[in-house]
Amino acid sequence: MLKISTVIMNNAEICFLSEDGEIEIVSLEAVSSKLKTNNILVCHAPYTAKKLGLKQLPRFDILELYAFIYPTKFAVPTINGIAKALGITPSNDIEEQAMLVHEIIEHLTNPTHLKSIKDIESILNFMAYQGQGWAWAPILLEQLGKQVSNISIKDLALWEKRPEWQDNLPPRGNYKNALNETAINDNLSLWLSSRSTRAEDRPQQRLYSQKIATAFKETNIGTNTHILLAEAGTGVGKSLGYLNPAWLWANQNDNQVWVSTYTKNLQKQLESELDGLIPRQQDEHDTLVIRKGRENYLCLLNLEEQVRTTQLAEKPNDRIAAGIMLRWMQETKDGDFSGSSFHGWLPTLLGYQQTLGLSDSRGECIYAACDHYKKCFIEHAVAKAKNAKIVLSNHALSMIQASIAVNPVELPSRYIFDEGHHLFDAADSTFASNLTLLEMLELRRWLLGAETGRKTRSRGLRKRLEGLIEDNSKAEDCVVAAIRAAHQLPNYQILSALKKGGHGERMNACETFFLSLRDHIKQQIHNNNAAQGLYGSECAPYPVPSSIIALALHAQNTLSDIRRHLLKLIDILLKKAEQERLNETPDATEINRLENLTTSLQRRCDNNLTPWISMLSQLETPPGQDFIDWFGIDRAEGKDSDVGMYRRWVDPMIPFASTLQSHAEGIAITSATLRDSQHENEGWETALEQTGARHFKDKGQTETFYTPSPFDYKSKSKIFIVNDLPKNNLSLLGKAYADLMIASGGGALGIFTAIQRLRSLHPQIETALTKANIPLYAQHVDDMDVGTLIDLFKDQQQSCLLGTDAVRDGVDVPGEALRMIIFERVPWPRPTILHKARRQHFGGRAYDERMTRLKLKQAYGRLIRSDQDRGVFIMLDTMFPSRLHDAFPDDVEIVKTSLADTIEQAEGFFNAD
Ligand code: SF4
């Protein structure tokens, strides 16, 4: 047995287990005095070190060991979480949790299981680093009957063992097999009866499923896309309701449907909903495929470079991370960082660069020139998606794919957008243009590659073209000219001048433009914004001073130069691909490389260079009523971090509609909160506006459908508006949060409208909850991603969670773990320049109220997720206007009362049978 001191902690208690087996609950001060070295065992070393104020990371982290042995098996990052994953009985007592540690280690170091892991010896020897590296490595090797020894890089080339993917032709049958009512009903019955937890047969779900079939009627492309807006209350069974006709139609017609969501959580949920209901295969003939942006997947070339680099460098932590990532690469089926096979807590455990940083997030891919191309996770997902019947996508990717498609015939003709209330936000960012210093730095890095001596994965244009253009002097000239012009783009060194608030030496045209713009924005904010009450560090751009216009012209010339040379290069590459195709024995690899390169060059031109040039050239005249521009400065940790000009569509659903209309024949947009009303047949205007349905050519083709939730909200929930809490008294606000969370005995979610207030109140709330033995987790405070925080909150029914919008949108916690939602303020839209433009366009104050009601409706909807749930919704803002009451179900009583009475009534509600 491993003889070592163990420290187990949660947000409320710390337990110390000495190497001699003595156990005690200790204070923070007492545990610090016991820890003389880092030779201790913990669960989540960085989290523990931060909480305990340790200078060095503890050497033995049971979470690292778990991630190594079970890289793809879900576990919440706690002792109880690991115990549950291993089938060991968990305990709510922290002393018993400390005692579980040895049982867990015994399980994780079981020699029989270790021997079943392929190439484990090579990976462990790499991580052991001759005994100076990962503390667990020698122990695991000993269990295998081995000792630490040297290995060569060849032994670690485990990526070569991955299977190759095959290309496929997409399914494209004719659309003549229309759906009929009986088939839809029969298939839903079949699905409901074949689920392991037999679901209730609900008439609303059947009706909803029939209605979704509207999106699968025959139509004429480009003239009359069928659109269905379907609001179905929580508990109707939307997912199966729409997957049912989608699957039937795709299967009957050998065709494809894209089902798009906003959150990755829902994507995962849909995949598991269909598990066992439709025939699945592991290869390119799979019927169901999840598609995400490239930045979500592990790039094997990046992993290889990481392993090579860490093998040479004396950085034990990087080696540990590379070893665990090698294990994950071995076991994951899809290489998807945001999928169910990746531990969402690994980046905080091992470091961002060492985990998510191994994705192809910066467009560095060299496609067919890459040795791993035929084994690449990303390319595999793309190839599989061509052939799948159902593609689970996200809103952003669905829009991007549709807007960049070279051949619209290859795009899906039918879409279902779930979480339709988020379409507006997704379109807003997809069709945005950000002309900022950081964006231009990124373009320079993409064109020039790494310019420092440091080892980096940054490849640059020349490297990407290697082997393709050496015989073509015109192409060479284009590359030389584009690279020469790219030297006028901002360089990384300018960031230090930005942070310090000064100017750099020998600045180039673009650097001078951005730093002068920064000075101008600050002056404008100083002069005007206080009076206008504008939000943060932004100002209206018009009129622009002539000095900025002159600098903008230089920047514009640089960008136009680069664009001109890239467009010429695209032309040459396309012709070369065409010639290759005409060859008697065309080189498919070369054609593929040329096509991928031209696509990514074209994307840089279309998404960056063209809109930037247009923005700079129009600085003297506002962009017209469809767009809104502003200048802004981003700040991080009290310093300027980016500066630039931003352009948005006032109504981003206009480009959304025109992009989809070009190829989509049927679209169903669904959500539990599409309309701004609780009454049947009301509030559809908001849905038409927010989903873009009103911008499709033939609005007559839009149908609407509503079915209410089957839940009895009246008896299952209570709504309180506290009317005696003074506004702007932070100390009383913190106390109110703590008292309410204690009254609920945990299971409370505190939503803040400002990160700053969350951070400043967190210590006060945490101190009070710790005394009451209630663990507290907090977004923007705890160094963990939102998904992991929600998993922890869900797993510990007595815990509480603080967060902002992202937590509100990501929470789907049925049962006791979520029984109270507390809002500190009415979530009015922030008064930014962009918001002001939209407010004016969409109807003034009524628009603000619509948006706020929808947010409250969505938040309230998080409280009751199943017919067993009960919960309390509390608004601490005394300025809550009655115009917003429509956000809540009609029959639920809204009680305006004091904080003390709210606490008493809430306790009474929870204690009632
Ligand atoms: S093909 Fe591209 S994304 Fe895939 S492993 Fe190679 S470089 Fe990475």
Side-chain angles (χ1 to χ4, degrees):
M1 190 205 272
L2 184 63
K3 281 201 103 190
I4 188 163
S5 301
T6 301
V7 177
I8 298 301
M9 59 186 300
N10 59 34
N11 282 26
E13 291 176 301
I14 302 169
C15 178
F16 181 79
L17 174 65
S18 77
E19 57 182 68
D20 301 324
E22 285 173 21
I23 193 161
E24 56 183 320
I25 303 293
V26 287
S27 66
L28 193 60
E29 297 72 40
V31 80
S32 304
S33 67
K34 285 174 186 285
L35 304 178
K36 303 287 181 223
T37 70
N38 69 339
N39 213 27
I40 51 170
L41 189 150
V42 299
C43 181
H44 204 312
Y47 179 77
T48 312
K50 192 174 170 193
K51 287 274 174 188
L52 300 183
L54 304 177
K55 290 199 179 85
Q56 276 186 303
L57 285 183
R59 281 190 69 218
F60 289 89
D61 189 342
I62 199 163
L63 206 51
E64 279 177 5
L65 179 62
Y66 179 82
F68 180 84
I69 303 294
Y70 293 107
T72 59
K73 185 173 180 168
F74 175 81
V76 173
T78 58
I79 291 296
N80 268 355
I82 298 176
K84 279 184 205 168
L86 298 178
I88 296 170
T89 311
S91 168
N92 285 334
D93 182 302
I94 195 164
E95 290 190 14
E96 287 178 15
Q97 284 177 26
M99 302 302 288
L100 284 180
V101 165
H102 290 288
E103 197 180 338
I104 290 173
I105 292 176
E106 210 172 296
H107 191 116
L108 294 176
T109 56
N110 177 299
T112 314
H113 181 62
L114 293 180
K115 281 177 191 154
S116 71
I117 298 174
K118 286 186 191 137
D119 299 299
I120 186 168
E121 214 182 310
S122 304
I123 306 175
L124 284 174
N125 276 315
F126 164 68
M127 294 171 82
Y129 190 43
Q130 297 154 358
Q132 310 296 307
W134 197 36
W136 294 108
I139 296 170
L140 295 178
L141 282 166
E142 197 182 316
Q143 291 291 91
L144 288 162
K146 308 280 178 184
Q147 287 186 337
V148 176
S149 56
N150 288 333
I151 46 141
S152 97
I153 188 76
K154 277 196 210 127
D155 301 326
L156 294 167
L158 308 179
W159 38 83
E160 287 173 5
K161 300 188 180 180
R162 288 210 61 87
E164 293 199 346
W165 53 265
Q166 304 300 320
D167 214 347
N168 279 292
L169 285 176
R172 287 291 181 264
N174 66 47
Y175 312 147
K176 300 300 174 205
N177 296 319
L179 290 177
N180 70 56
E181 212 172 297
T182 314
I184 294 170
N185 258 332
D186 289 351
N187 195 56
L188 186 59
S189 301
L190 181 72
W191 279 9
L192 292 174
S193 63
S194 58
R195 295 181 84 179
S196 52
T197 48
R198 198 191 149 94
E200 209 183 305
D201 197 336
R202 301 177 191 131
Q204 295 105 315
Q205 188 181 34
R206 291 198 174 273
L207 199 58
Y208 173 82
S209 206
Q210 294 289 351
K211 206 66 202 172
I212 291 287
T214 307
F216 298 97
K217 284 189 211 164
E218 260 193 88
T219 185
N220 299 319
I221 307 175
T223 56
N224 55 356
T225 309
H226 281 299
I227 303 187
L228 174 74
L229 302 183
E231 181 176 301
T234 310
V236 164
K238 278 200 311 296
S239 320
L240 280 196
Y242 60 69
L243 289 169
N244 174 37
W247 162 252
L248 281 177
W249 181 84
N251 200 35
Q252 282 177 15
N253 292 291
D254 201 15
N255 216 298
Q256 187 171 82
V257 179
W258 274 42
V259 177
S260 181
T261 71
Y262 186 68
T263 56
K264 287 166 185 164
N265 257 354
L266 183 58
Q267 259 186 346
K268 280 189 212 171
Q269 200 182 310
L270 293 181
E271 190 185 21
S272 66
E273 287 266 10
L274 283 176
D275 206 24
L277 298 183
I278 61 172
R280 300 287 309 271
Q281 293 185 41
Q282 292 302 332
D283 60 15
E284 286 64 36
H285 304 290
D286 201 356
T287 48
L288 174 74
V289 171
I290 293 192
R291 271 284 269 126
K292 295 179 184 171
R294 302 182 71 86
E295 69 283 359
N296 288 284
Y297 296 90
L298 173 70
C299 163
L300 293 174
L301 187 57
N302 285 346
L303 178 65
E304 178 183 355
E305 288 182 14
Q306 180 78 350
V307 170
R308 285 183 189 279
T309 316
T310 52
Q311 203 208 11
L312 299 172
E314 292 177 20
K315 286 190 179 168
N317 288 344
D318 285 359
R319 274 174 171 253
I320 296 169
I324 292 176
M325 291 308 290
L326 267 173
R327 281 286 296 126
W328 184 66
M329 184 275 299
Q330 278 184 312
E331 298 214 356
T332 175
K333 288 193 174 75
D334 52 18
D336 178 0
F337 284 129
S338 55
S340 46
S341 78
F342 184 73
H343 297 304
W345 36 262
L346 264 188
T348 54
L349 194 73
L350 306 176
Y352 178 91
Q353 280 309 327
Q354 292 75 5
T355 50
L356 303 183
L358 299 177
S359 67
D360 179 40
S361 57
R362 293 169 150 193
E364 295 290 348
C365 181
I366 49 175
Y367 301 100
C370 170
D371 288 344
H372 311 308
Y373 183 68
K374 287 301 283 182
K375 298 170 192 287
C376 172
F377 288 115
I378 306 167
E379 299 305 327
H380 194 183
V382 172
K384 277 171 75 167
K386 282 186 194 167
N387 212 35
K389 299 272 192 306
I390 303 280
V391 175
L392 299 178
S393 170
N394 58 59
H395 294 349
L397 184 69
S398 301
M399 292 180 206
I400 291 167
Q401 288 294 111
S403 61
I404 62 168
V406 181
N407 185 3
V409 176
E410 287 180 8
L411 289 169
S413 67
R414 301 299 197 283
Y415 290 87
I416 291 172
F417 289 98
D418 195 355
E419 301 181 306
H421 56 278
H422 282 303
L423 269 178
F424 194 96
D425 287 341
D428 192 26
S429 20
T430 303
F431 300 107
S433 297
N434 299 333
L435 167 63
T436 76
L437 177 62
L438 287 185
E439 291 283 338
M440 270 206 203
L441 277 171
E442 189 57 33
L443 178 64
R444 176 179 177 128
R445 196 195 50 74
W446 190 80
L447 287 167
L448 300 184
E451 293 177 76
T452 61
R454 277 187 310 125
K455 276 253 174 205
T456 110
R457 294 190 289 272
S458 195
R459 295 181 185 104
L461 181 59
R462 183 163 287 292
K463 180 87 183 151
R464 268 181 235 110
L465 286 163
E466 217 167 59
L468 283 179
I469 58 160
E470 282 75 2
D471 58 345
N472 188 320
S473 64
K474 283 188 181 158
E476 269 292 332
D477 290 347
C478 291
V479 174
V480 168
I483 284 177
R484 192 185 310 122
H487 279 96
Q488 288 305 308
L489 296 172
N491 198 349
Y492 270 95
Q493 282 128 6
I494 201 66
L495 285 179
S496 105
L498 179 74
K499 280 185 189 154
K500 287 179 188 154
H503 284 244
E505 288 172 16
R506 294 195 300 279
M507 293 194 295
N508 64 33
C510 293
E511 291 168 344
T512 311
F513 166 71
F514 279 115
L515 292 198
S516 303
L517 184 62
R518 184 262 328 263
D519 296 342
H520 168 69
I521 297 169
K522 290 203 164 175
Q523 189 60 51
Q524 286 293 104
I525 290 168
H526 180 75
N527 293 348
N528 306 324
N529 283 7
Q532 291 176 17
L534 290 178
Y535 180 82
S537 304
E538 59 177 30
C539 70
Y542 308 105
V544 184
S546 54
S547 57
I548 297 285
I549 291 177
L551 291 168
L553 190 62
H554 290 299
Q556 185 193 330
N557 288 340
T558 297
L559 297 175
S560 300
D561 252 10
I562 297 172
R563 181 172 177 274
R564 194 174 61 251
H565 298 306
L566 293 189
L567 287 176
K568 267 196 216 162
L569 182 61
I570 290 171
D571 207 37
I572 294 168
L573 296 177
L574 283 175
K575 283 191 182 129
K576 191 171 166 70
E578 201 44 53
Q579 272 169 6
E580 189 60 43
R581 258 187 228 102
L582 297 174
N583 274 349
E584 221 167 276
T585 49
D587 181 342
T589 305
E590 178 157 321
I591 293 172
N592 177 294
R593 244 189 105 191
L594 287 162
E595 283 177 348
N596 283 319
L597 256 168
T598 50
T599 306
S600 63
L601 284 164
Q602 192 67 52
R603 216 176 288 170
R604 294 278 159 179
C605 291
D606 294 347
N607 295 352
N608 301 136
L609 291 161
T610 305
W612 291 351
I613 292 165
S614 150
M615 285 160 83
L616 289 170
S617 68
Q618 292 167 4
L619 268 186
E620 282 176 279
T621 45
Q625 59 179 12
D626 281 344
F627 297 96
I628 176 78
D629 287 354
W630 71 95
F631 291 154
I633 298 172
D634 277 353
R635 288 177 67 77
E637 294 169 4
K639 295 194 170 125
D640 295 345
S641 58
D642 198 9
V643 55
M645 179 177 182
Y646 301 83
R647 173 168 290 180
R648 293 284 186 284
W649 282 83
V650 173
D651 184 352
M653 303 322 285
I654 294 174
F656 168 79
S658 66
T659 303
L660 270 279
Q661 178 127 15
S662 64
H663 64 279
E665 295 174 51
I667 300 173
I669 301 175
T670 189
S671 160
T673 50
L674 278 183
R675 302 168 314 129
D676 173 29
S677 177
Q678 297 288 346
H679 311 287
E680 198 160 356
N681 297 324
E682 286 183 14
W684 285 111
E685 263 311 303
T686 305
L688 288 166
E689 168 194 288
Q690 292 288 302
T691 60
R694 69 180 185 188
H695 297 303
F696 282 78
K697 274 186 208 155
D698 187 347
K699 289 178 218 161
Q701 295 294 322
T702 301
E703 288 186 46
T704 58
F705 172 76
Y706 165 69
T707 184
S709 166
F711 298 153
D712 175 9
Y713 287 110
K714 188 177 177 190
S715 70
K716 300 281 185 181
S717 68
K718 272 199 165 283
I719 298 169
F720 294 98
I721 297 166
V722 173
N723 62 8
D724 64 346
L725 204 58
K727 204 172 169 91
N728 300 327
N729 187 327
L730 281 187
S731 160
L732 285 182
L733 182 64
K735 184 170 178 331
Y737 262 106
D739 289 350
L740 286 163
M741 289 176 156
I742 292 168
S744 74
L749 171 67
I751 302 289
F752 281 78
T753 52
I755 297 171
Q756 189 55 35
R757 267 198 304 283
L758 185 159
R759 283 194 174 132
S760 66
L761 289 184
H762 175 262
Q764 184 189 356
I765 303 171
E766 188 182 42
T767 306
L769 264 58
T770 302
K771 281 188 194 145
N773 209 8
I774 296 175
L776 177 71
Y777 298 100
Q779 187 195 8
H780 308 296
V781 176
D782 292 322
D783 202 5
M784 291 191 209
D785 68 301
V786 170
T788 303
L789 286 171
I790 294 173
D791 285 340
L792 286 163
F793 174 61
K794 207 170 172 176
D795 193 56
Q796 296 171 267
Q797 291 203 349
Q798 76 286 16
S799 68
C800 291
L801 174 62
L802 303 179
T804 51
D805 289 9
V807 165
R808 183 199 63 211
D809 293 338
V811 163
D812 189 359
V813 180
E816 280 285 288
L818 175 59
R819 48 192 181 269
M820 180 182 277
I821 293 180
I822 311 167
F823 256 87
E824 40 121 30
R825 287 199 182 169
V826 178
W828 295 113
R830 293 186 305 172
T832 58
I833 290 173
L834 174 61
H835 169 68
K836 283 190 162 195
R838 289 201 173 135
R839 189 178 199 267
Q840 197 178 6
H841 179 81
F842 289 117
R845 195 177 79 171
Y847 171 69
D848 281 0
E849 289 173 1
R850 284 201 301 277
M851 295 302 101
T852 308
R853 270 193 297 272
L854 281 176
K855 274 191 192 168
L856 290 167
K857 193 175 170 186
Q858 285 145 23
Y860 173 81
R862 303 274 145 198
L863 199 55
I864 311 291
R865 308 301 289 171
S866 77
D867 49 12
Q868 305 300 316
D869 288 8
R870 301 174 78 238
V872 172
F873 186 93
I874 297 162
M875 171 58 71
L876 294 175
D877 192 338
T878 51
M879 308 289 283
F880 188 86
S882 51
R883 301 185 301 279
L884 300 183
H885 285 194
D886 257 6
F888 307 112
D890 267 354
D891 54 351
V892 179
E893 191 191 0
I894 299 175
V895 184
K896 280 195 171 188
T897 186
S898 65
L899 177 64
D901 190 44
T902 301
I903 292 172
E904 195 177 319
Q905 288 204 46
E907 280 175 334
F909 177 79
F910 288 126
N911 292 333
D913 281 338

